[in-house]
């Protein structure tokens, strides 16, 4: 989550004064014995950082009075730093690293791998496939006399002298997905082979038009860039068969709990009303947003998903709640207007319109952000917000843990102070939020979020903005979620997923496929931000993915418990269809490039149907959240594209070796071929060349 946070609340934050000139940390660095010059950036009076480009070797960091043995430095982990400290780090591969040093009352340092250098790519050979049969050597994978099946065409052939010949299906780009023809015993499920389908529920399917205008929300009648479109849990449930047909075994849905009721100005120019349709502007973590439907709708979705072998993951946010809005101020009774401003507002404050010389950001001019009645909102003990007597948070780039992302209120999750319920929640008519003794901010948030696991059987979390919350809080969330999952399983022993463990994947923006200390803080996997860029070339020519495939498989094999979640389209970056410029052949190529990748993979709704980029206004990312293009699914070319995704997805679902197995290159030329094996499960993938036709 990133782009949907851009609003005009910057009006509330004063100018940042330049930092004073500070003395650099007295830290010396050597790489394989050679001095490494350090030129520090001053982030604050006691905080510095530097970016280093390191080659493989031993990095040693030494303080002036250093003595004794060097201590191994763990990536991402905060290490206490004394005047006699020595640390060593074995740099595994060339890449960029960020070194952070704190020199205050509790000196410490952290080393953050930023992104490994790209592996040297073998020359990708993808001349156009001319339609002929393909002979492949498979003797190291399948035995002579064994009958193989191509999952795309359904054709079979017998292995003779270690070789097999197949005619790829028309429109397959010369792709062969080879598996043993005889039915095999189903392989155990492996999360490294998961296919996760990510849905912005509001933009997917409208199952109940009666809830479209909950809390008085209204469409804007123009491009509907940031308004609610009507998608809900009932709509999701009605479309589960489509999702299951893609081989999906986990459904990640946007946070369905109650969002701010009103809107903020959207984009840099305030040119659209931006509601919390995406789930990242939370108001009450204990209630379903009425636009999403009822609790019975949620129970039905999870029950029907489980019956199809699909786990349901909630998007969760621990870093911040949503903004304040005129509508919430009026309906929930917090905050205040400036003197005389009430006459400029209609009966329903949310219906306010800017003057012709203004944009939607101008509603801030009506609000008195210094009035003491803001204590009735979240309160200074809960958030940093830069209004009234609330503390002003720094920028998230200055302090990732205590800073504010796009001026959203920052939860004090690190605080040990006992807090009362926020006043607006304590008097809110519909809420499960109850006052607790000796609860800190994070205790309330963890109870609220894990309540969905305990009560409804939510199977896992996709955690938002992970690097902006201290790792210990994520670890606490995971422990509580495990307990909640066990409670739900005991109460629902007949549910098909009762024996399935909880799963948690994290969004550490910019993180690549590498293992990191986050895996020791409650996460089973992290989103792999590297793959989207690579997917463009791999969609044209599968051989271009070989360096990444080999790298991912190696990392998974070398680090037990490591997993990654690769994607090609995202609500925060771009749609693959944008990058492919609407070329359906490339969208078909994406099915192979993504679904054959080692580690878990994420389909973003509409990847399978070439959903187009939508209206975006002055926020370039809003267009990635366009409505699902259901009306195009019957077009022959789109139906054919969906069928292709279904065949590749179901092939992956049958074979855990694809995501979790050993990767072996069989042929780097044309045809390109590789094998994946995991115990008795084995497959061979072949691509004869690029398609000549879209």
């Amino acid at each position: 989550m990133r782009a949907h946070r851009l609003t005009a609340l910057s009006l509330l934050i004063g100018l940042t004064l330049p930092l004073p000139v500070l003395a650099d940390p007295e830290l010396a660095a050597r790489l394989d014995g050679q001095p490494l010059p350090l030129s520090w950036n001053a982030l604050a009076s006691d905080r510095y950082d530097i970016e280093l480009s390191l080659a493989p070797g031993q990095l040693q960091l030494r303080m002036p009075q250093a003595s004794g043995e060097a201590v191994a430095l763990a990536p991402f982990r905060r290490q206490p730093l004394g005047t006699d400290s020595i640390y060593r780090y074995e740099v595994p591969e060339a890449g960029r690293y960020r070194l952070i040093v704190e020199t205050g009352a509790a000196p410490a340092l952290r080393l953050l791998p930023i992104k490994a250098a790209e592996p040297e790519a073998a020359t990708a050979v993808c001349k156009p496939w001319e339609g002929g049969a393909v002979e492949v050597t498979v003797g190291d994978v399948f035995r002579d006399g064994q009958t193989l099946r191509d999952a795309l065409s359904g054709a079979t052939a017998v292995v003779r002298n270690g070789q097999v010949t197949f005619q790829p299906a028309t429109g397959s780009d010369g792709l062969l997905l080879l598996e043993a023809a005889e039915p095999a015993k189903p392989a155990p499920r492996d999360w490294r082979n998961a296919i996760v389908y990510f849905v912005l529920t509001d933009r997917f399917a409208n199952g109940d038009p009666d809830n479209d205008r909950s809390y008085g929300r209204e469409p804007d009648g123009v491009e509907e860039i940031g308004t609610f479109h009507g998608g809900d849990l009932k709509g999701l449930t009605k479309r589960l068969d489509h999702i299951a047909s893609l081989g999906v075994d986990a459904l990640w849905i946007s946070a369905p709990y109650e969002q701010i009721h009103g809107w903020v100005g959207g984009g840099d120019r305030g040119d659209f009303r931006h509601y919390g349709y995406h789930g990242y502007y939370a108001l009450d973590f204990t209630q379903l947003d009425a636009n999403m439907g009822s609790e019975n709708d949620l129970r039905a979705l999870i029950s029907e998903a489980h019956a199809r072998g699909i786990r349901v993951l909630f998007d969760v946010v621990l870093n911040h709640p949503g903004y304040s809005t005129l509508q919430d101020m009026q309906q929930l009774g917090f905050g205040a207007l400036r003197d005389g401003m009430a006459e400029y507002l209609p009966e329903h404050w949310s219906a306010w319109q800017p003057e012709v010389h203004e944009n939607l950001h101008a509603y801030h001019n009506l609000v008195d952000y210094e009035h003491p009645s803001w204590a009735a909102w979240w309160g200074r003990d809960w958030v940093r917000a830069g209004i009234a007597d609330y503390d002003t948070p720094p920028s998230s780039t200055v302090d990732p843990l205590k800073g504010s992302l796009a001026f959203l209120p920052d939860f004090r999750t690190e605080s040990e102070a006992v807090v009362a319920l926020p006043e607006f929640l304590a008097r809110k008519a519909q809420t499960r939020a109850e006052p607790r003794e000796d609860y800190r901010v994070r205790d309330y948030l963890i109870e609220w979020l894990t309540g969905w696991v305990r009560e409804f059987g939510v199977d896992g979390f996709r955690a938002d903005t992970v690097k902006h919350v201290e790792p210990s809080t994520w670890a606490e969330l995971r422990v509580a979620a495990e307990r909640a999952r066990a409670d739900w399983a005991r109460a629902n022993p007949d549910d098909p997923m009762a024996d399935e463990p909880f799963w948690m994947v994290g969004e550490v923006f910019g993180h690549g496929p590498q293992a990191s200390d986050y895996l020791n803080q409650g996460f089973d996997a992290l989103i792999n931000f590297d793959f989207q860029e690579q997917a463009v070339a791999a969609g044209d020519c599968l051989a271009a993915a070989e360096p990444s495939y080999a790298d991912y498989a190696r990392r998974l094999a070398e680090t037990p418990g490591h997993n990654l979640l690769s994607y090609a389209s995202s609500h925060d970056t771009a749609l693959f269809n944008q990058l492919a410029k609407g070329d359906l052949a490339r969208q078909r190529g994406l099915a192979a490039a993504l679904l054959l990748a080692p580690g878990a993979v994420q389909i973003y709704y509409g990847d399978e149907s070439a959903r187009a980029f939508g209206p975006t206004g002055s926020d370039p990312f809003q267009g990635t959240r366009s409505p699902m293009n259901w009306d195009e699914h019957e077009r022959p070319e789109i139906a054919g594209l969906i069928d292709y995704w279904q065949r590749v997805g179901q092939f992956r679902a049958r074979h855990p070796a694809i995501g979790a197995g050993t990767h072996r290159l069989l042929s780097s030329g044309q045809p390109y071929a590789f094998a994946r094996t995991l115990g008795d499960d084995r497959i061979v993938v072949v691509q004869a060349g690029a398609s000549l036709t879209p």
Side-chain angles (χ1 to χ4, degrees):
M1 195 268 282
R2 182 181 64 173
H4 47 256
R5 297 184 170 127
L6 300 177
T7 78
L9 287 185
S10 55
L11 296 174
L12 309 185
I13 308 299
L15 295 175
T16 301
L17 296 176
L19 293 169
V21 178
L22 305 169
D24 290 346
E26 295 183 289
L27 187 69
R30 289 178 176 269
L31 184 64
D32 283 345
Q34 297 299 311
L36 197 65
L38 301 179
S39 179
W40 296 97
N41 301 310
L43 302 177
S45 61
D46 59 355
R47 188 179 173 90
Y48 305 80
D49 82 340
I50 185 174
E51 286 195 12
L52 302 171
S53 293
L54 301 178
Q58 186 180 92
L59 174 69
Q60 188 178 90
L61 301 169
R62 177 185 292 264
M63 289 295 282
Q65 302 173 25
S67 62
E69 293 292 322
V71 176
L73 182 61
F76 296 95
R77 186 170 293 166
R78 189 176 186 272
Q79 302 280 0
L81 182 65
T83 57
D84 59 350
S85 298
I86 308 176
Y87 290 105
R88 59 177 170 79
Y89 176 64
E90 300 296 334
V91 181
E93 57 191 349
R96 293 189 300 116
Y97 295 78
R98 183 181 180 215
L99 182 62
I100 302 173
V101 174
E102 301 168 37
T103 60
L109 60 78
R110 282 192 298 161
L111 183 69
L112 306 178
I114 299 174
K115 181 179 177 182
E118 297 291 343
E120 290 187 14
T123 302
V125 178
C126 262
K127 299 174 183 176
W129 173 54
E130 297 179 353
V134 180
E135 185 177 79
V136 188
T137 299
V138 296
D140 291 341
V141 185
F142 298 107
R143 67 180 184 277
D144 266 16
Q146 191 170 6
T147 302
L148 305 187
R149 173 182 176 271
D150 171 27
L152 288 178
S153 67
T156 60
V158 177
V159 181
R160 304 291 187 196
N161 299 319
Q163 294 186 319
V164 68
T165 301
F166 274 94
Q167 174 66 45
T170 302
S172 68
D173 303 333
L175 187 68
L176 298 171
L177 306 178
L178 303 183
E179 59 189 349
E182 62 269 18
K185 183 174 73 172
R189 171 181 164 76
D190 193 311
W191 271 105
R192 293 172 295 175
N193 195 52
I195 302 177
V196 179
Y197 194 85
F198 170 34
V199 168
L200 283 179
T201 306
D202 174 68
R203 303 299 170 90
F204 192 62
N206 192 344
D208 183 5
D210 290 342
N211 61 31
D212 289 0
R213 299 189 179 185
S214 302
Y215 313 111
R217 294 168 178 153
E218 295 289 341
D220 63 25
V222 191
E223 293 184 300
E224 310 297 350
I225 295 170
T227 60
F228 278 83
H229 288 196
D232 49 31
L233 299 173
K234 277 187 177 179
L236 257 178
T237 304
K238 291 177 181 177
R239 296 292 186 172
L240 282 174
D241 284 342
H242 169 78
I243 294 169
S245 74
L246 298 165
V248 168
D249 52 6
L251 173 62
W252 156 20
I253 65 173
S254 51
Y257 37 76
E258 188 175 351
Q259 301 294 297
I260 57 174
H261 296 174
W263 50 266
V264 291
D268 292 339
R269 298 196 300 269
D271 49 344
F272 60 91
R273 285 176 167 78
H274 191 173
Y275 289 87
Y277 69 86
H278 38 60
Y280 297 113
Y281 294 168
L283 178 74
D284 186 342
F285 290 86
T286 74
Q287 295 293 300
L288 281 178
D289 193 277
N291 265 75
M292 297 295 102
S294 69
E295 291 185 354
N296 284 337
D297 295 338
L298 178 60
R299 293 184 195 280
L301 170 66
I302 293 176
S303 176
E304 291 293 329
H306 285 184
R308 292 164 173 80
I310 298 174
R311 288 79 177 156
V312 177
L313 314 179
F314 267 22
D315 209 326
V316 298
V317 185
L318 275 174
N319 177 254
H320 59 266
Y323 301 110
S324 63
T325 71
L326 290 172
Q327 187 163 327
D328 294 293
M329 290 170 61
Q330 184 179 31
Q331 291 180 348
L332 298 173
F334 59 75
L337 300 176
R338 291 169 55 195
D339 290 344
M341 291 297 106
E343 64 185 87
Y344 291 99
L345 286 168
E347 178 183 358
H348 299 290
W349 292 2
S350 191
W352 170 85
Q353 294 281 355
E355 300 293 337
V356 292
H357 61 279
E358 297 176 322
N359 62 37
L360 290 167
H361 291 324
Y363 84 87
H364 293 294
N365 298 328
L366 307 173
V367 181
D368 180 0
Y369 285 109
E370 297 306 316
H371 197 279
S373 63
W374 282 100
W377 189 38
W378 285 97
R380 64 170 294 147
D381 292 339
W382 274 78
V383 301
R384 305 171 184 87
I387 61 174
D389 69 339
Y390 290 66
D391 290 338
T392 298
S395 164
S396 62
T397 57
V398 172
D399 190 330
L401 298 182
K402 298 179 181 179
S404 173
L405 289 168
F407 312 105
L408 281 154
D410 182 70
F411 276 134
R412 295 180 180 270
T413 50
E414 83 293 342
S415 174
E416 296 298 323
V418 172
V419 297
L421 271 183
E423 185 178 327
F424 86 92
L425 273 180
R427 67 188 187 209
K428 186 170 178 281
Q430 291 184 312
T431 185
R432 283 195 173 96
E434 298 181 3
R436 304 293 191 198
E437 291 187 6
D438 301 324
Y439 262 33
R440 303 159 297 181
V441 169
R442 64 181 176 273
D443 297 323
Y444 278 106
L445 293 171
I446 289 170
E447 177 182 294
W448 296 342
L449 292 173
T450 58
W452 299 103
V453 181
R454 179 174 284 106
E455 179 70 20
F456 297 93
V458 171
D459 300 282
F461 289 156
R462 178 272 187 184
D464 187 60
T465 57
V466 167
K467 66 182 177 183
H468 298 293
V469 176
E470 58 285 346
S472 60
T473 296
W474 292 119
E476 288 186 45
L477 176 67
R478 176 56 182 260
V479 170
E482 294 278 11
R483 288 197 298 263
R485 179 71 177 181
D487 290 345
W488 172 81
R490 281 192 293 270
N492 297 273
D494 296 329
D495 189 283
M497 300 298 164
D499 294 330
E500 284 289 323
F502 192 80
W503 195 66
M504 199 156 88
V505 58
E507 179 231 30
V508 180
F509 206 89
H511 202 285
Q514 68 270 21
S516 71
D517 193 49
Y518 289 109
L519 299 173
N520 298 322
Q521 307 298 334
F523 291 99
D524 298 289
L526 296 176
I527 293 175
N528 173 22
F529 284 84
D530 284 3
F531 188 76
Q532 183 176 43
E533 181 178 333
Q534 299 158 4
V536 178
D540 289 339
C541 178
L542 192 58
E546 174 58 29
S548 295
Y549 284 178
D551 180 51
Y552 297 175
R554 174 185 60 80
R555 293 177 186 275
L556 293 171
E558 290 178 352
T559 309
H562 176 40
N563 197 0
L564 55 142
L565 182 66
S566 298
Y567 72 93
S569 294
S570 164
H571 62 316
D572 269 346
T573 54
L575 292 183
F576 182 86
N577 195 30
Q578 286 174 271
L579 307 176
K581 304 186 188 316
D583 186 334
L584 295 188
R586 301 178 81 184
Q587 201 80 21
R588 190 169 61 241
L590 173 63
L594 177 65
L595 296 175
L596 298 175
V601 297
Q602 171 222 298
I603 301 172
Y604 186 36
Y605 74 103
D607 276 345
E608 75 277 20
S609 57
R611 175 172 60 89
F613 189 77
T616 207
S618 61
D619 180 343
F621 300 99
Q622 292 294 326
T624 64
R625 303 96 179 259
S626 56
M628 182 63 168
N629 57 335
W630 295 113
D631 56 346
E632 295 184 325
H633 281 209
E634 298 304 317
R635 286 173 45 198
E637 61 272 30
I638 299 299
L641 175 64
I642 294 170
D643 178 73
Y644 191 83
W645 276 78
Q646 290 169 337
R647 291 174 186 268
V648 182
Q650 290 168 20
F651 176 70
R652 179 186 176 100
R654 289 194 296 272
H655 297 289
I658 294 174
T662 300
H663 175 87
R664 184 148 48 97
L665 179 65
L666 300 180
S667 170
S668 60
Q670 191 157 342
Y672 163 67
F674 66 80
R676 300 264 173 82
T677 57
L678 182 67
D680 293 332
D681 186 29
R682 51 196 60 217
I683 59 95
V684 168
V685 171
V686 184
Q687 189 177 42
S691 175
L692 285 171
T693 57

